Amino acid sequence: MAKRKKSSRRPQRKHEKKLQRSRHDKRRRLELRNPLRRITSRAIVPLMGALGTLVGMLQAAMDHRIAFRLAIIVSGMLLADDRRTASAWFAAGGVTDDWDRFYDCLISIGRRPKPLAEAVLKRIVQQFDPGPNGRIVLALDDTPTPRFGKHVEGAGVHHNPTAGPADGEFLYGHNWVSLAYVATHPIWGVIALPLRSLLYVREVDTPALDAKYGWTFRTKHQLAVELVLWCVATLRSLRCLAKVWVVADGAYAANPFIRPLLEAGVVLISRLRRDAKLFDLPPEPKPGQRGRPRIYGVNRIDLAKRAGHPNGWTSITYRCRGHQVTRKFKTFLGTTPLTGGVIRVVIVRYDDGNWAPYFCTDATTMARDILETAADRWAIEEHFHDVKEVCGAGQQQVRNVWSNIGCWNLNQWVFTLVELATWDREHSTLTDRTCRPWDNPDRRPSHADRRRAIVREMLHEEFLTTLPDDLDTIQFRERIETVLKLCI
């Protein structure tokens, strides 16, 4: 059987016509007032402890008329199982007849995510501020979430970065440009704490949103610049004077993204294209020479030739994804039109003989710092995996564009709050692998372990604290604890 030739053209979305109108007409429902309507004011299993305090911090940044609903939604997010749709959140949180108000709450969060993101960043700065002589590392990347249906606003056809054997090169859904704070735990290593995300809508899909919401098209680089400048402005308003570093993959090593960051005093570390336009340092101007001094050197630098030359390699041992590795590297200064000035380039050779070039816009940075920061960027990829597989981000089945933005950002913020709530807790309180003897008991607690520890405390507080601690209830307590272990 002949193989079908792959087309380089992006596929177009195809949807069948909708057979019938929705039976849930919001206008008609609001016109018919129900005097017996039950109002949800408390979750079935309320939040408690450090996580409850952190969610209360987010509630303070919201309108007081709807802020109480956030704690109920977050409780449902932690307790929901299987496919984590928004309706599953509400059912697990105990929402009753006023479920439409909770959908409105998600829309409100999507319309005004900045105050909540600033509250999250403020809490992170309070805990991890390195001082004026330190540095803050931010990781930037984009990721898609698959969806289905032509009525999903803002969805389009995007490249699939993690296509498996049965997946295609493209997928239909949303694409999110995300910014995360890279924190280093003294025991568990580097963890990415997401701050805020913006929805990228392709230019061909923008007119539908423009007619309804006044949406304007912006590239991923423009969205990334907005996120970084917002973060820098918020840090300075919080009197955080640390130097800001941003690490991104090679897709963001472009002039529209780098130049605004340099003007804001941000240091960028990223991967460099192998065919990047590089020059050596410009010659020193001669005494009495007229005219503006040169920005770029005269000689072109070929990265492939530099990497292929056997001389000039030096061994270095640095931290890479929680382990100490020893590799060969070369480093030198060069000039490039990407930044309009001098950069430091580091070429690293891997064990299999392959090589990769990285660059830093601060020419005084050491090669070790560049390699370790570039390796720390992988933390945001781990976050994308956890927020989709563990938290169920992208499964909420909402159609409104603001609801989608609210759900995605809310998943990311809950991820950050769970990590902060369990940051200083001991390993034994987060992992209980007695029922899994084949597992490594010393393994770093995963995000799922942290969520389960919080849920376990919530359920114990709700169902076991009201029971008297006597001989008559010991067996009953053991039964309840067995059921809770099976549930979580």
Side-chain angles (χ1 to χ4, degrees), residues 408-443:
W408 172 261
N409 279 285
L410 196 55
N411 273 298
Q412 289 203 311
W413 293 329
V414 171
F415 180 97
T416 299
L417 297 185
V418 168
E419 295 289 339
L420 292 177
T422 58
W423 190 267
D424 296 325
R425 295 183 55 173
E426 296 182 359
H427 183 279
S428 58
T429 62
L430 297 178
T431 57
D432 182 12
R433 299 192 175 96
T434 55
C435 59
R436 290 170 285 177
W438 57 85
D439 201 351
N440 181 11
D442 299 328
R443 178 169 56 85

Side-chain angles (χ1 to χ4, degrees), residues 139-145 158-162 174-180 196-201 219-221 223-224 227 247-253 257 377 380-381 383-385 388 408 412:
L140 183 74
D141 205 355
D142 58 271
T143 183
T145 52
H158 303 280
H159 282 279
N160 187 2
T162 56
H174 294 113
N175 200 312
W176 308 94
V177 181
S178 299
L179 184 70
R196 186 184 168 197
S197 298
L198 294 176
L199 176 62
Y200 167 71
V201 182
T219 64
K220 292 181 182 179
H221 293 154
L223 296 177
L227 287 174
V247 57
D249 63 3
Y252 292 90
F257 174 69
R377 191 200 69 83
I380 195 172
E381 303 287 356
H383 153 68
F384 287 149
H385 172 270
K388 294 177 184 178
W408 172 261
Q412 289 203 311

Side-chain angles (χ1 to χ4, degrees), residues 340-383:
V342 182
I343 62 172
R344 175 164 293 278
V345 181
V346 178
I347 303 177
V348 60
R349 178 185 289 172
Y350 299 106
D351 297 335
D352 58 356
N354 198 6
W355 59 277
Y358 297 93
F359 77 96
C360 179
T361 56
D362 186 358
T364 62
T365 306
M366 302 295 293
R368 182 186 307 276
D369 295 334
I370 296 176
L371 294 177
E372 290 183 347
T373 305
D376 292 346
R377 191 200 69 83
W378 191 256
I380 195 172
E381 303 287 356
E382 294 177 342
H383 153 68

Side-chain angles (χ1 to χ4, degrees), residues 456-475:
R456 192 182 306 117
E457 292 179 355
M458 292 168 53
L459 295 176
H460 273 261
E461 179 72 19
E462 184 68 18
F463 297 112
L464 293 179
T465 55
T466 57
L467 293 176
D469 194 6
D470 52 26
L471 294 177
D472 296 334
T473 60
I474 290 179
Q475 187 175 5

Side-chain angles (χ1 to χ4, degrees), residues 196-216:
R196 186 184 168 197
S197 298
L198 294 176
L199 176 62
Y200 167 71
V201 182
R202 294 172 55 213
E203 189 173 11
V204 69
D205 302 321
T206 303
L209 292 179
D210 184 22
K212 192 172 183 180
Y213 304 112
W215 194 283
T216 57

Side-chain angles (χ1 to χ4, degrees), residues 83 143-148 152 155-156 158 160 171-176 388 393-397:
R83 190 162 179 82
T143 183
T145 52
R147 292 297 307 274
F148 179 80
V152 180
H158 303 280
N160 187 2
L171 60 80
Y172 176 79
H174 294 113
N175 200 312
W176 308 94
K388 294 177 184 178
Q395 300 178 8
Q396 280 63 64
Q397 295 298 314

